[in-house]
Amino acid sequence: MKIKIRYNNEFQKLEVDRDEMWVSLSLGSTEGLTDSEMEKRIQDKFDEMFNRPEYNNWHRHDRHTTGTATPRRLDGKRGFVQASDEESDEPATNTIDLFGDNTDTEHRESQYEYEALCDLLRKRLKADQAELLIQVHINKVPKQEYAAKLGISPSAVSHRLETAEKNFKKIFPTSSSFRLSRGF
């Protein structure tokens, strides 16, 4: 029998033994089937298993991609593309997202951590000391900018910061590598 095989988006015909193909594709019993029906089932099973253009295109595109590589678009350029057609809300058809995006989850977790830390500082320290530590150490606001915002000198901010850090160390004498969600 002749079987059609897809190679580089073109079909080629190869001569194969029908009975060997039947067995190798595990198609079961041949009882009650004519030769043409057997050949059709062999070709259908072979198409299902090997002549899938979507799988072949994906495999050709993805076979050298690692889990840490930057995803590629179908046109070969690197980077995430979340573009959509202007006429519809559906994504553009020339893109493929190879990696799941969990940046939203990471952002939410970091926001929860930030809020928990700020609440903890506000509970344990005086309000002005807690705000000073939050702004200078967590939000990375420069001392000069914070001083200008309060209308005081930068040296006053430095002295207040030293006092706030001493009080913080009294309350939290050792540091922990655990996240706040696990307790302190």
Side-chain angles (χ1 to χ4, degrees):
M1 89 171 255
K2 290 192 182 268
I3 191 165
K4 290 191 288 184
I5 298 176
R6 181 186 298 267
Y7 182 73
N8 285 339
N9 291 331
E10 295 179 11
F11 284 101
Q12 298 178 356
K13 291 188 178 186
L14 294 178
E15 186 70 35
V16 294
D17 185 295
R18 183 185 67 217
D19 295 328
E20 286 181 15
M21 283 299 289
W22 186 269
V23 172
S24 66
L25 293 175
S26 302
L27 292 174
S29 174
T30 61
E31 292 181 27
L33 294 176
T34 64
D35 291 344
S36 62
E37 289 174 341
M38 285 177 62
E39 290 175 5
K40 178 161 176 31
R41 284 189 60 190
I42 289 171
Q43 184 65 53
D44 290 343
K45 183 68 171 183
F46 192 84
D47 288 344
E48 177 187 328
M49 292 176 68
F50 302 110
N51 286 341
R52 299 180 298 182
E54 296 85 18
Y55 171 77
N56 293 340
N57 288 340
W58 173 82
H59 182 67
R60 182 181 66 226
H61 172 74
D62 194 53
R63 67 178 168 229
H64 298 294
T65 307
T66 62
T68 59
T70 307
R72 290 181 179 254
R73 301 181 336 182
L74 289 179
D75 59 5
K77 297 178 182 174
R78 289 191 173 273
F80 285 103
V81 176
Q82 297 297 330
S84 62
D85 298 332
E86 282 76 28
E87 304 88 44
S88 68
D89 292 334
E90 296 185 24
T93 57
N94 67 339
T95 62
I96 186 168
D97 189 6
L98 297 178
F99 304 104
D101 185 21
N102 61 350
T103 54
D104 185 45
T105 305
E106 292 171 359
H107 177 69
R108 253 183 301 170
E109 288 176 4
S110 65
Q111 185 65 29
Y112 293 151
E113 284 291 319
Y114 173 80
E115 291 171 2
L117 182 59
C118 291
D119 288 343
L120 185 64
L121 289 174
R122 288 182 182 122
K123 283 181 192 174
R124 302 289 180 122
L125 296 172
K126 293 179 184 174
D128 58 339
Q129 290 179 349
E131 287 305 316
L132 180 62
L133 286 174
I134 290 168
Q135 291 300 318
V136 172
H137 287 298
I138 298 173
N139 294 343
K140 305 292 185 200
V141 175
K143 293 177 192 175
Q144 292 81 10
E145 187 178 317
Y146 190 73
K149 183 175 133 184
L150 292 180
I152 58 176
S153 69
S155 63
V157 170
S158 294
H159 291 296
R160 290 181 185 179
L161 187 60
E162 286 177 15
T163 305
E165 288 170 350
K166 283 181 189 176
N167 291 338
F168 178 80
K169 288 178 183 176
K170 287 179 187 175
I171 296 171
F172 304 103
T174 59
S175 64
S176 173
S177 60
F178 294 121
R179 297 184 71 127
L180 272 177
S181 59
R182 293 186 63 187
F184 65 98

